[in-house]
Amino acid sequence: MSEVPFHYIDLRAFCYDTEGESRVEDALRHFLPEDVELERAESEGHLGDRIVVLSARVERADEMRHVLGQLRDGADIEQIRRELDQRVDDNCSLFVHLDKQEAYLGDAQLGDGISLRAKVEAYPAKKESAVENARDALS
């Protein structure tokens, strides 16, 4: 895959009080190249519990290839490709949710805990074009 039909890819995970922040960071880093910086924001839950939001955005083609490679190596790409009509919204964004525990263990599986949002390049910026470009990128 020489061209990457994405403007950027965002990854985000929440770290709750009951979780080790370094473990959640390791899970998120499973998808990221080494030199990508993580952003950290603290928030508070409904009951006053601390929540740390870890996130990263990759915009360079090599970084996006790395993220997509990690996704392809573990997640059920065929399931994602079958569900692209539901996973791409009218703003040409692709959404995939990944299992945080599996990512910490070094695997990429569909599940909960890590959100991946990729802005798909599509000209004209229509959902149908974005779905086709995402399908090609995930081949």
Side-chain angles (χ1 to χ4, degrees):
M1 172 178 56
S2 58
E3 283 192 39
V4 181
F6 297 105
H7 294 287
Y8 57 82
I9 299 174
D10 288 330
L11 289 157
R12 182 178 66 187
F14 293 97
C15 177
Y16 300 98
D17 247 356
T18 57
E19 298 175 305
E21 188 174 334
S22 65
R23 288 180 175 220
V24 175
E25 182 177 329
D26 289 346
L28 198 56
R29 287 204 176 278
H30 171 72
F31 297 99
L32 297 168
E34 288 183 25
D35 60 337
V36 172
E37 296 281 326
L38 284 181
E39 292 185 25
R40 181 183 185 281
E42 285 199 33
S43 187
E44 189 174 291
H46 181 69
L47 300 175
D49 52 322
R50 183 180 69 101
I51 300 172
V52 176
V53 181
L54 298 173
S55 61
R57 173 174 282 193
V58 294
E59 295 175 315
R60 295 190 334 230
D62 287 342
E63 294 171 339
M64 290 188 279
R65 279 189 204 95
H66 180 87
V67 173
L68 293 172
Q70 293 296 93
L71 186 62
R72 265 192 229 97
D73 286 347
D76 186 352
I77 290 298
E78 289 309 313
Q79 178 181 349
I80 294 170
R81 292 181 82 226
R82 281 191 308 272
E83 298 171 350
L84 280 174
D85 276 339
Q86 294 84 34
R87 292 180 178 276
V88 175
D89 68 8
D90 291 334
N91 293 320
C92 301
S93 292
L94 166 68
F95 294 91
V96 178
H97 297 282
L98 301 157
D99 189 288
K100 188 170 24 176
Q101 181 65 31
E102 290 296 322
Y104 174 72
L105 297 173
D107 196 9
Q109 296 297 320
L110 297 176
D112 293 322
I114 297 176
S115 299
L116 180 148
R117 176 180 172 255
K119 184 68 170 182
V120 184
E121 289 180 354
Y123 304 102
K126 301 277 186 202
K127 178 179 178 175
E128 296 78 26
S129 300
V131 167
E132 284 309 309
N133 288 345
R135 188 176 320 281
D136 291 344
L138 296 173
S139 295

